[in-house]
């Protein structure tokens, strides 16, 4: 079986994109990144993708005004032209219409900086700190029309420390993001996932019974 053809959609610095590109360099990785597409012409990630020899493209939404679907049809044409099979959203800051989500049903992943279904939406780290949670993290999930919902492929948890700021917590979560996004893509592209209602079943070894306890106890 050949490698799945993957496009990554970004709007910004693209550190998750970079992690996916790095992972896909492994000869046994079941996916190849064939396109990085941005809705922002000067998104930092575009240069990183180009430096890695990956085709980049900007499709700006402005010319389409309020017609979100027309903007998405333009993106969709570019994806189809390259025989893209899987789409990874990686800091892509445009809400997608049900039409676009339907086109990529079961074939589009997103990464969210929280342990869903907690902290959907924005400012997840600020909100987690305000609530005083002791464990936070990130989630890779299939995209469905409802924002920050959809079958969960993988999650990474990190401890929250008393002296954390939104920035220090974001940095810790981001390290988890980079690991789980690459591994989740490996599972999905490798055919090791199966959708079962609202859940995603994964044919991968489950974690041992280690408990993550935070704060640490001796
Ligand atoms: C990440 O925190 C991701 O979880 C969220 O947007 C941020 C993108 O960061 N969806 P980067 O562009 O991948 O560095």
């Amino acid at each position: 079986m050949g490698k799945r053809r993957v496009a990554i959609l970004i709007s910004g610095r693209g550190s998750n994109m970079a992690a996916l590109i790095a992972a896909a360099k492994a000869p046994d990785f079941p996916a190849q990144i064939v396109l990085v597409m941005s809705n922002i012409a000067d998104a930092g990630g575009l240069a990183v993708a180009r430096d890695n020899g990956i085709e980049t493209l900007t499709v700006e939404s402005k010319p389409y005004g309020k017609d979100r679907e027309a903007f998405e049809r333009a993106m969709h044409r570019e994806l189809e032209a390259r025989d893209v099979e899987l789409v990874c959203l990686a800091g892509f800051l445009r809400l997608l219409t049900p039409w676009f989500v339907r086109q990529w049903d079961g074939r589009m992943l997103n990464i969210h900086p929280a342990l869903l279904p907690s902290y959907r939406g924005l400012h997840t780290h600020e909100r987690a700190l305000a609530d005083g949670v002791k464990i936070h993290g990130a989630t890779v999930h299939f995209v469905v029309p409802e924002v920050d919902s959809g079958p969960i492929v993988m999650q990474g948890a990190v401890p929250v420390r008393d002296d954390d700021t939104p920035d220090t917590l974001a940095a810790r979560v981001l390290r988890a993001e980079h690991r789980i996004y690459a591994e989740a893509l490996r599972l999905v592209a490798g055919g090791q996932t199966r959708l079962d209602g609202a859940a995603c079943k994964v044919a991968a070894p489950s974690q041992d019974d280690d408990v993550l306890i935070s704060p640490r106890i001796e």
Side-chain angles (χ1 to χ4, degrees), residues 58-140:
T58 299
V59 178
E60 285 184 314
S61 54
K62 229 192 206 127
Y64 302 98
K66 287 196 165 59
D67 192 348
R68 282 160 60 200
E69 221 177 276
F71 159 65
E72 293 172 348
R73 284 185 192 278
M75 290 199 302
H76 193 65
R77 275 195 297 276
E78 303 291 352
L79 297 170
E80 287 203 307
R82 289 160 184 82
D83 295 323
V84 167
E85 301 172 274
L86 284 171
V87 171
C88 290
L89 305 179
F92 184 69
L93 301 178
R94 297 284 304 187
L95 288 180
L96 298 168
T97 67
W99 175 80
F100 189 81
V101 173
R102 227 174 13 249
Q103 303 308 309
W104 294 95
D105 185 30
R107 302 188 299 149
M108 181 156 60
L109 296 173
N110 181 46
I111 184 147
H112 181 73
L115 291 172
L116 291 174
S118 291
Y119 304 115
R120 295 186 167 114
L122 299 173
H123 310 299
T124 55
H125 309 309
E126 285 86 340
R127 288 157 56 207
L129 286 175
D131 286 343
V133 299
K134 303 302 185 207
I135 294 175
H136 185 45
T139 302
V140 178

Side-chain angles (χ1 to χ4, degrees), residues 13-75:
R13 68 188 163 180
S15 73
N16 278 289
M17 171 213 74
L20 294 179
I21 290 173
K25 285 184 177 162
D28 68 342
F29 199 80
Q32 54 177 322
I33 314 302
V34 298
L35 177 69
V36 169
M37 190 154 62
S38 171
N39 64 319
I40 309 276
D42 62 358
L46 290 172
V48 179
R50 261 182 245 120
D51 288 349
N52 280 276
I54 292 168
E55 185 190 1
T56 61
L57 195 67
T58 299
V59 178
E60 285 184 314
S61 54
K62 229 192 206 127
Y64 302 98
K66 287 196 165 59
D67 192 348
R68 282 160 60 200
E69 221 177 276
F71 159 65
E72 293 172 348
R73 284 185 192 278
M75 290 199 302

